[in-house]
mmCIF file of all heavy atoms in Angstrom:
data_model
loop_
_atom_site.group_PDB
_atom_site.id
_atom_site.type_symbol
_atom_site.label_atom_id
_atom_site.label_comp_id
_atom_site.label_asym_id
_atom_site.label_seq_id
_atom_site.Cartn_x
_atom_site.Cartn_y
_atom_site.Cartn_z
ATOM 1 N N GLY A 1 121.870 113.625 -30.036
ATOM 2 C CA GLY A 1 121.500 114.032 -31.375
ATOM 3 C C GLY A 1 122.498 113.537 -32.396
ATOM 4 O O GLY A 1 123.100 112.505 -32.227
ATOM 5 N N ALA A 2 122.652 114.334 -33.499
ATOM 6 C CA ALA A 2 123.457 113.841 -34.647
ATOM 7 C C ALA A 2 124.151 115.042 -35.229
ATOM 8 O O ALA A 2 123.620 116.171 -35.241
ATOM 9 C CB ALA A 2 122.635 113.165 -35.624
ATOM 10 N N ILE A 3 125.246 114.783 -35.845
ATOM 11 C CA ILE A 3 125.987 115.775 -36.664
ATOM 12 C C ILE A 3 126.501 115.090 -37.940
ATOM 13 O O ILE A 3 126.951 113.909 -37.866
ATOM 14 C CB ILE A 3 127.101 116.459 -35.932
ATOM 15 C CG1 ILE A 3 127.658 117.670 -36.725
ATOM 16 C CG2 ILE A 3 128.175 115.542 -35.428
ATOM 17 C CD1 ILE A 3 128.487 118.614 -35.871
ATOM 18 N N GLU A 4 126.381 115.769 -39.054
ATOM 19 C CA GLU A 4 126.729 115.165 -40.302
ATOM 20 C C GLU A 4 127.706 116.080 -40.964
ATOM 21 O O GLU A 4 127.655 117.329 -40.970
ATOM 22 C CB GLU A 4 125.423 115.142 -41.184
ATOM 23 C CG GLU A 4 125.670 114.703 -42.674
ATOM 24 C CD GLU A 4 124.320 114.720 -43.381
ATOM 25 O OE1 GLU A 4 123.247 115.048 -42.890
ATOM 26 O OE2 GLU A 4 124.396 114.344 -44.569
ATOM 27 N N LEU A 5 128.657 115.495 -41.724
ATOM 28 C CA LEU A 5 129.567 116.189 -42.560
ATOM 29 C C LEU A 5 129.411 115.642 -44.009
ATOM 30 O O LEU A 5 129.711 114.428 -44.208
ATOM 31 C CB LEU A 5 131.053 116.024 -42.124
ATOM 32 C CG LEU A 5 132.126 116.626 -42.997
ATOM 33 C CD1 LEU A 5 131.892 118.218 -43.009
ATOM 34 C CD2 LEU A 5 133.522 116.356 -42.454
ATOM 35 N N ARG A 6 128.777 116.412 -44.857
ATOM 36 C CA ARG A 6 128.623 116.088 -46.299
ATOM 37 C C ARG A 6 129.883 116.468 -47.106
ATOM 38 O O ARG A 6 130.447 117.605 -46.813
ATOM 39 C CB ARG A 6 127.421 116.759 -46.884
ATOM 40 C CG ARG A 6 126.172 116.232 -46.450
ATOM 41 C CD ARG A 6 124.997 116.735 -47.240
ATOM 42 N NE ARG A 6 123.728 116.134 -46.787
ATOM 43 C CZ ARG A 6 123.168 115.079 -47.404
ATOM 44 N NH1 ARG A 6 123.736 114.624 -48.463
ATOM 45 N NH2 ARG A 6 122.059 114.589 -47.001
ATOM 46 N N PHE A 7 130.278 115.621 -48.031
ATOM 47 C CA PHE A 7 131.485 115.968 -48.799
ATOM 48 C C PHE A 7 131.113 116.329 -50.180
ATOM 49 O O PHE A 7 130.357 115.677 -50.886
ATOM 50 C CB PHE A 7 132.365 114.725 -48.928
ATOM 51 C CG PHE A 7 132.891 114.217 -47.556
ATOM 52 C CD1 PHE A 7 132.281 113.174 -46.851
ATOM 53 C CD2 PHE A 7 133.962 114.892 -46.980
ATOM 54 C CE1 PHE A 7 132.825 112.777 -45.647
ATOM 55 C CE2 PHE A 7 134.477 114.475 -45.798
ATOM 56 C CZ PHE A 7 133.856 113.410 -45.103
ATOM 57 N N HIS A 8 131.626 117.495 -50.647
ATOM 58 C CA HIS A 8 131.547 117.936 -52.022
ATOM 59 C C HIS A 8 132.947 117.825 -52.515
ATOM 60 O O HIS A 8 133.740 118.833 -52.540
ATOM 61 C CB HIS A 8 131.001 119.345 -52.100
ATOM 62 C CG HIS A 8 129.682 119.572 -51.430
ATOM 63 N ND1 HIS A 8 128.547 119.051 -51.964
ATOM 64 C CD2 HIS A 8 129.311 120.131 -50.268
ATOM 65 C CE1 HIS A 8 127.470 119.316 -51.178
ATOM 66 N NE2 HIS A 8 127.946 119.957 -50.097
ATOM 67 N N THR A 9 133.402 116.659 -52.812
ATOM 68 C CA THR A 9 134.801 116.274 -53.003
ATOM 69 C C THR A 9 135.465 116.974 -54.224
ATOM 70 O O THR A 9 136.621 117.313 -54.136
ATOM 71 C CB THR A 9 134.993 114.782 -53.143
ATOM 72 O OG1 THR A 9 134.125 114.287 -54.116
ATOM 73 C CG2 THR A 9 134.765 114.079 -51.803
ATOM 74 N N ALA A 10 134.679 117.302 -55.215
ATOM 75 C CA ALA A 10 135.267 117.932 -56.365
ATOM 76 C C ALA A 10 135.859 119.335 -55.995
ATOM 77 O O ALA A 10 136.779 119.814 -56.606
ATOM 78 C CB ALA A 10 134.280 118.086 -57.551
ATOM 79 N N ARG A 11 135.211 119.951 -55.005
ATOM 80 C CA ARG A 11 135.635 121.273 -54.619
ATOM 81 C C ARG A 11 136.398 121.257 -53.277
ATOM 82 O O ARG A 11 136.748 122.306 -52.740
ATOM 83 C CB ARG A 11 134.347 122.188 -54.472
ATOM 84 C CG ARG A 11 133.750 122.404 -55.821
ATOM 85 C CD ARG A 11 132.521 123.289 -55.706
ATOM 86 N NE ARG A 11 131.540 122.572 -54.868
ATOM 87 C CZ ARG A 11 130.674 123.178 -54.073
ATOM 88 N NH1 ARG A 11 130.544 124.474 -53.994
ATOM 89 N NH2 ARG A 11 129.805 122.502 -53.397
ATOM 90 N N HIS A 12 136.528 120.063 -52.669
ATOM 91 C CA HIS A 12 137.193 119.924 -51.332
ATOM 92 C C HIS A 12 136.456 120.743 -50.331
ATOM 93 O O HIS A 12 137.068 121.369 -49.419
ATOM 94 C CB HIS A 12 138.697 120.307 -51.399
ATOM 95 C CG HIS A 12 139.456 119.442 -52.330
ATOM 96 N ND1 HIS A 12 139.925 118.184 -51.887
ATOM 97 C CD2 HIS A 12 139.894 119.653 -53.531
ATOM 98 C CE1 HIS A 12 140.543 117.608 -52.878
ATOM 99 N NE2 HIS A 12 140.599 118.489 -53.901
ATOM 100 N N VAL A 13 135.105 120.688 -50.371
ATOM 101 C CA VAL A 13 134.267 121.463 -49.422
ATOM 102 C C VAL A 13 133.426 120.463 -48.667
ATOM 103 O O VAL A 13 132.952 119.443 -49.237
ATOM 104 C CB VAL A 13 133.364 122.411 -50.265
ATOM 105 C CG1 VAL A 13 132.305 123.165 -49.345
ATOM 106 C CG2 VAL A 13 134.233 123.431 -50.934
ATOM 107 N N GLY A 14 133.154 120.777 -47.396
ATOM 108 C CA GLY A 14 132.252 120.030 -46.621
ATOM 109 C C GLY A 14 131.101 120.882 -46.168
ATOM 110 O O GLY A 14 131.193 122.140 -46.156
ATOM 111 N N GLU A 15 130.003 120.317 -45.754
ATOM 112 C CA GLU A 15 128.876 121.015 -45.281
ATOM 113 C C GLU A 15 128.343 120.284 -44.002
ATOM 114 O O GLU A 15 128.119 119.052 -43.974
ATOM 115 C CB GLU A 15 127.710 121.039 -46.282
ATOM 116 C CG GLU A 15 126.594 121.886 -45.883
ATOM 117 C CD GLU A 15 125.556 122.105 -46.973
ATOM 118 O OE1 GLU A 15 125.781 121.709 -48.120
ATOM 119 O OE2 GLU A 15 124.437 122.666 -46.756
ATOM 120 N N LEU A 16 128.126 121.035 -42.938
ATOM 121 C CA LEU A 16 127.646 120.494 -41.658
ATOM 122 C C LEU A 16 126.071 120.553 -41.626
ATOM 123 O O LEU A 16 125.502 121.476 -42.117
ATOM 124 C CB LEU A 16 128.133 121.358 -40.450
ATOM 125 C CG LEU A 16 129.584 121.237 -40.059
ATOM 126 C CD1 LEU A 16 129.874 122.179 -38.924
ATOM 127 C CD2 LEU A 16 130.012 119.811 -39.752
ATOM 128 N N GLY A 17 125.520 119.534 -41.002
ATOM 129 C CA GLY A 17 124.124 119.454 -40.699
ATOM 130 C C GLY A 17 124.045 118.837 -39.299
ATOM 131 O O GLY A 17 124.953 118.054 -38.892
ATOM 132 N N TYR A 18 123.054 119.226 -38.537
ATOM 133 C CA TYR A 18 122.997 118.706 -37.155
ATOM 134 C C TYR A 18 121.628 118.957 -36.541
ATOM 135 O O TYR A 18 120.790 119.800 -37.012
ATOM 136 C CB TYR A 18 124.008 119.456 -36.293
ATOM 137 C CG TYR A 18 124.175 120.991 -36.652
ATOM 138 C CD1 TYR A 18 123.299 121.852 -36.113
ATOM 139 C CD2 TYR A 18 125.154 121.435 -37.449
ATOM 140 C CE1 TYR A 18 123.367 123.244 -36.345
ATOM 141 C CE2 TYR A 18 125.244 122.744 -37.750
ATOM 142 C CZ TYR A 18 124.323 123.698 -37.214
ATOM 143 O OH TYR A 18 124.421 125.069 -37.510
ATOM 144 N N TRP A 19 121.424 118.191 -35.499
ATOM 145 C CA TRP A 19 120.230 118.330 -34.648
ATOM 146 C C TRP A 19 120.472 117.768 -33.265
ATOM 147 O O TRP A 19 121.363 116.862 -33.115
ATOM 148 C CB TRP A 19 118.976 117.705 -35.287
ATOM 149 C CG TRP A 19 119.026 116.257 -35.386
ATOM 150 C CD1 TRP A 19 119.477 115.489 -36.455
ATOM 151 C CD2 TRP A 19 118.677 115.321 -34.378
ATOM 152 N NE1 TRP A 19 119.350 114.221 -36.207
ATOM 153 C CE2 TRP A 19 118.831 113.969 -34.936
ATOM 154 C CE3 TRP A 19 118.096 115.365 -33.148
ATOM 155 C CZ2 TRP A 19 118.616 112.822 -34.268
ATOM 156 C CZ3 TRP A 19 117.825 114.168 -32.422
ATOM 157 C CH2 TRP A 19 118.079 112.932 -33.026
ATOM 158 N N LEU A 20 119.887 118.364 -32.285
ATOM 159 C CA LEU A 20 119.950 117.895 -30.904
ATOM 160 C C LEU A 20 118.540 117.712 -30.340
ATOM 161 O O LEU A 20 117.632 118.528 -30.659
ATOM 162 C CB LEU A 20 120.700 118.927 -30.021
ATOM 163 C CG LEU A 20 122.173 118.888 -29.964
ATOM 164 C CD1 LEU A 20 122.615 120.027 -29.131
ATOM 165 C CD2 LEU A 20 122.801 117.602 -29.562
ATOM 166 N N GLY A 21 118.410 116.790 -29.420
ATOM 167 C CA GLY A 21 117.142 116.689 -28.687
ATOM 168 C C GLY A 21 116.941 117.917 -27.874
ATOM 169 O O GLY A 21 117.927 118.600 -27.439
ATOM 170 N N LYS A 22 115.741 118.335 -27.699
ATOM 171 C CA LYS A 22 115.429 119.649 -27.140
ATOM 172 C C LYS A 22 115.990 119.833 -25.722
ATOM 173 O O LYS A 22 116.440 120.842 -25.309
ATOM 174 C CB LYS A 22 113.896 119.856 -27.005
ATOM 175 C CG LYS A 22 113.524 121.263 -26.674
ATOM 176 C CD LYS A 22 112.038 121.437 -26.770
ATOM 177 C CE LYS A 22 111.703 122.897 -26.353
ATOM 178 N NZ LYS A 22 110.270 123.079 -26.414
ATOM 179 N N ALA A 23 116.107 118.732 -24.965
ATOM 180 C CA ALA A 23 116.625 118.827 -23.568
ATOM 181 C C ALA A 23 118.054 119.269 -23.525
ATOM 182 O O ALA A 23 118.604 119.667 -22.531
ATOM 183 C CB ALA A 23 116.461 117.383 -22.881
ATOM 184 N N PHE A 24 118.734 119.158 -24.673
ATOM 185 C CA PHE A 24 120.187 119.414 -24.807
ATOM 186 C C PHE A 24 120.512 120.777 -25.393
ATOM 187 O O PHE A 24 121.645 121.221 -25.490
ATOM 188 C CB PHE A 24 120.949 118.335 -25.518
ATOM 189 C CG PHE A 24 120.700 116.987 -24.968
ATOM 190 C CD1 PHE A 24 119.844 116.129 -25.506
ATOM 191 C CD2 PHE A 24 121.262 116.657 -23.745
ATOM 192 C CE1 PHE A 24 119.612 114.879 -24.981
ATOM 193 C CE2 PHE A 24 121.010 115.349 -23.169
ATOM 194 C CZ PHE A 24 120.178 114.445 -23.797
ATOM 195 N N TRP A 25 119.505 121.497 -25.815
ATOM 196 C CA TRP A 25 119.673 122.913 -26.417
ATOM 197 C C TRP A 25 120.208 123.851 -25.369
ATOM 198 O O TRP A 25 120.003 123.839 -24.178
ATOM 199 C CB TRP A 25 118.361 123.424 -26.912
ATOM 200 C CG TRP A 25 117.707 122.667 -28.090
ATOM 201 C CD1 TRP A 25 118.182 121.499 -28.703
ATOM 202 C CD2 TRP A 25 116.593 122.965 -28.761
ATOM 203 N NE1 TRP A 25 117.429 121.128 -29.671
ATOM 204 C CE2 TRP A 25 116.343 121.980 -29.789
ATOM 205 C CE3 TRP A 25 115.586 123.982 -28.614
ATOM 206 C CZ2 TRP A 25 115.235 122.024 -30.652
ATOM 207 C CZ3 TRP A 25 114.461 123.950 -29.513
ATOM 208 C CH2 TRP A 25 114.361 122.978 -30.529
ATOM 209 N N GLY A 26 120.996 124.794 -25.969
ATOM 210 C CA GLY A 26 121.453 125.916 -25.159
ATOM 211 C C GLY A 26 122.547 125.667 -24.170
ATOM 212 O O GLY A 26 122.818 126.481 -23.264
ATOM 213 N N GLN A 27 123.267 124.560 -24.327
ATOM 214 C CA GLN A 27 124.302 124.211 -23.381
ATOM 215 C C GLN A 27 125.692 124.067 -24.064
ATOM 216 O O GLN A 27 126.715 123.659 -23.510
ATOM 217 C CB GLN A 27 124.000 122.907 -22.711
ATOM 218 C CG GLN A 27 122.671 122.966 -21.936
ATOM 219 C CD GLN A 27 122.224 121.620 -21.397
ATOM 220 O OE1 GLN A 27 122.977 121.007 -20.681
ATOM 221 N NE2 GLN A 27 121.044 121.171 -21.830
ATOM 222 N N GLY A 28 125.793 124.501 -25.361
ATOM 223 C CA GLY A 28 127.098 124.557 -26.017
ATOM 224 C C GLY A 28 127.542 123.136 -26.603
ATOM 225 O O GLY A 28 128.615 123.104 -27.121
ATOM 226 N N TYR A 29 126.610 122.211 -26.574
ATOM 227 C CA TYR A 29 127.015 120.874 -27.032
ATOM 228 C C TYR A 29 127.314 120.906 -28.597
ATOM 229 O O TYR A 29 128.225 120.241 -29.020
ATOM 230 C CB TYR A 29 125.983 119.807 -26.740
ATOM 231 C CG TYR A 29 125.806 119.488 -25.242
ATOM 232 C CD1 TYR A 29 124.613 119.680 -24.623
ATOM 233 C CD2 TYR A 29 126.966 119.036 -24.446
ATOM 234 C CE1 TYR A 29 124.542 119.349 -23.287
ATOM 235 C CE2 TYR A 29 126.812 118.668 -23.161
ATOM 236 C CZ TYR A 29 125.673 118.851 -22.575
ATOM 237 O OH TYR A 29 125.501 118.588 -21.255
ATOM 238 N N MET A 30 126.483 121.542 -29.274
ATOM 239 C CA MET A 30 126.562 121.562 -30.758
ATOM 240 C C MET A 30 127.878 122.268 -31.172
ATOM 241 O O MET A 30 128.565 121.863 -32.081
ATOM 242 C CB MET A 30 125.341 122.129 -31.429
ATOM 243 C CG MET A 30 125.373 121.735 -32.936
ATOM 244 S SD MET A 30 125.623 120.048 -33.372
ATOM 245 C CE MET A 30 124.146 119.301 -32.844
ATOM 246 N N THR A 31 128.183 123.332 -30.523
ATOM 247 C CA THR A 31 129.400 124.066 -30.839
ATOM 248 C C THR A 31 130.643 123.125 -30.613
ATOM 249 O O THR A 31 131.546 123.048 -31.473
ATOM 250 C CB THR A 31 129.543 125.336 -29.973
ATOM 251 O OG1 THR A 31 128.462 126.186 -30.216
ATOM 252 C CG2 THR A 31 130.916 126.083 -30.252
ATOM 253 N N GLU A 32 130.525 122.392 -29.530
ATOM 254 C CA GLU A 32 131.666 121.493 -29.235
ATOM 255 C C GLU A 32 131.739 120.304 -30.288
ATOM 256 O O GLU A 32 132.839 120.019 -30.739
ATOM 257 C CB GLU A 32 131.455 120.901 -27.822
ATOM 258 C CG GLU A 32 132.552 120.174 -27.188
ATOM 259 C CD GLU A 32 132.390 119.869 -25.741
ATOM 260 O OE1 GLU A 32 131.682 120.631 -25.012
ATOM 261 O OE2 GLU A 32 132.823 118.809 -25.313
ATOM 262 N N ALA A 33 130.580 119.764 -30.614
ATOM 263 C CA ALA A 33 130.598 118.748 -31.620
ATOM 264 C C ALA A 33 130.982 119.249 -32.983
ATOM 265 O O ALA A 33 131.751 118.596 -33.721
ATOM 266 C CB ALA A 33 129.164 118.152 -31.733
ATOM 267 N N ALA A 34 130.599 120.454 -33.300
ATOM 268 C CA ALA A 34 130.991 121.046 -34.659
ATOM 269 C C ALA A 34 132.428 121.282 -34.716
ATOM 270 O O ALA A 34 133.131 121.052 -35.755
ATOM 271 C CB ALA A 34 130.156 122.293 -34.913
ATOM 272 N N GLN A 35 133.038 121.689 -33.641
ATOM 273 C CA GLN A 35 134.477 121.994 -33.661
ATOM 274 C C GLN A 35 135.201 120.733 -33.907
ATOM 275 O O GLN A 35 136.236 120.653 -34.633
ATOM 276 C CB GLN A 35 134.928 122.617 -32.340
ATOM 277 C CG GLN A 35 134.445 124.126 -32.219
ATOM 278 C CD GLN A 35 134.657 124.659 -30.877
ATOM 279 O OE1 GLN A 35 134.845 123.953 -29.898
ATOM 280 N NE2 GLN A 35 134.642 126.042 -30.796
ATOM 281 N N ALA A 36 134.791 119.635 -33.298
ATOM 282 C CA ALA A 36 135.479 118.282 -33.457
ATOM 283 C C ALA A 36 135.296 117.810 -34.905
ATOM 284 O O ALA A 36 136.250 117.285 -35.498
ATOM 285 C CB ALA A 36 134.893 117.291 -32.500
ATOM 286 N N VAL A 37 134.070 117.937 -35.495
ATOM 287 C CA VAL A 37 133.860 117.485 -36.795
ATOM 288 C C VAL A 37 134.682 118.359 -37.798
ATOM 289 O O VAL A 37 135.213 117.829 -38.795
ATOM 290 C CB VAL A 37 132.367 117.395 -37.138
ATOM 291 C CG1 VAL A 37 132.177 117.193 -38.629
ATOM 292 C CG2 VAL A 37 131.725 116.320 -36.284
ATOM 293 N N MET A 38 134.705 119.690 -37.598
ATOM 294 C CA MET A 38 135.460 120.510 -38.476
ATOM 295 C C MET A 38 136.975 120.165 -38.376
ATOM 296 O O MET A 38 137.638 120.219 -39.501
ATOM 297 C CB MET A 38 135.217 121.973 -38.175
ATOM 298 C CG MET A 38 133.830 122.448 -38.589
ATOM 299 S SD MET A 38 133.559 124.206 -38.528
ATOM 300 C CE MET A 38 133.813 124.534 -36.808
ATOM 301 N N ALA A 39 137.424 119.939 -37.277
ATOM 302 C CA ALA A 39 138.902 119.575 -37.097
ATOM 303 C C ALA A 39 139.165 118.293 -37.902
ATOM 304 O O ALA A 39 140.156 118.204 -38.622
ATOM 305 C CB ALA A 39 139.236 119.393 -35.641
ATOM 306 N N TYR A 40 138.244 117.333 -37.798
ATOM 307 C CA TYR A 40 138.386 116.068 -38.648
ATOM 308 C C TYR A 40 138.347 116.423 -40.087
ATOM 309 O O TYR A 40 139.221 115.911 -40.853
ATOM 310 C CB TYR A 40 137.270 115.062 -38.180
ATOM 311 C CG TYR A 40 137.234 113.926 -39.149
ATOM 312 C CD1 TYR A 40 138.160 112.868 -38.959
ATOM 313 C CD2 TYR A 40 136.376 113.882 -40.232
ATOM 314 C CE1 TYR A 40 138.204 111.788 -39.809
ATOM 315 C CE2 TYR A 40 136.414 112.859 -41.118
ATOM 316 C CZ TYR A 40 137.339 111.777 -40.913
ATOM 317 O OH TYR A 40 137.327 110.733 -41.822
ATOM 318 N N GLY A 41 137.428 117.169 -40.473
ATOM 319 C CA GLY A 41 137.275 117.524 -41.899
ATOM 320 C C GLY A 41 138.509 118.183 -42.489
ATOM 321 O O GLY A 41 138.934 117.847 -43.592
ATOM 322 N N PHE A 42 139.090 119.132 -41.756
ATOM 323 C CA PHE A 42 140.347 119.797 -42.239
ATOM 324 C C PHE A 42 141.563 118.874 -42.170
ATOM 325 O O PHE A 42 142.263 118.808 -43.099
ATOM 326 C CB PHE A 42 140.552 121.132 -41.519
ATOM 327 C CG PHE A 42 139.547 122.203 -41.818
ATOM 328 C CD1 PHE A 42 138.832 122.785 -40.814
ATOM 329 C CD2 PHE A 42 139.207 122.532 -43.181
ATOM 330 C CE1 PHE A 42 137.835 123.763 -41.130
ATOM 331 C CE2 PHE A 42 138.379 123.495 -43.484
ATOM 332 C CZ PHE A 42 137.602 124.093 -42.423
ATOM 333 N N ARG A 43 141.723 118.246 -40.962
ATOM 334 C CA ARG A 43 142.983 117.480 -40.771
ATOM 335 C C ARG A 43 142.992 116.143 -41.426
ATOM 336 O O ARG A 43 144.059 115.697 -41.915
ATOM 337 C CB ARG A 43 143.171 117.283 -39.290
ATOM 338 C CG ARG A 43 143.481 118.567 -38.583
ATOM 339 C CD ARG A 43 143.818 118.440 -37.064
ATOM 340 N NE ARG A 43 143.881 119.622 -36.413
ATOM 341 C CZ ARG A 43 143.325 119.832 -35.176
ATOM 342 N NH1 ARG A 43 142.681 118.971 -34.567
ATOM 343 N NH2 ARG A 43 143.391 121.099 -34.630
#
């Protein structure tokens, strides 16, 4: 699937968007991906 981090730079804010193929739902993959992207966004 995909995960996106949109930048609202004037406010130093990001927004996540994401999707996974149905075969991958319910296995915690998106939580894991979101944590990595958020760490990147903050750090």
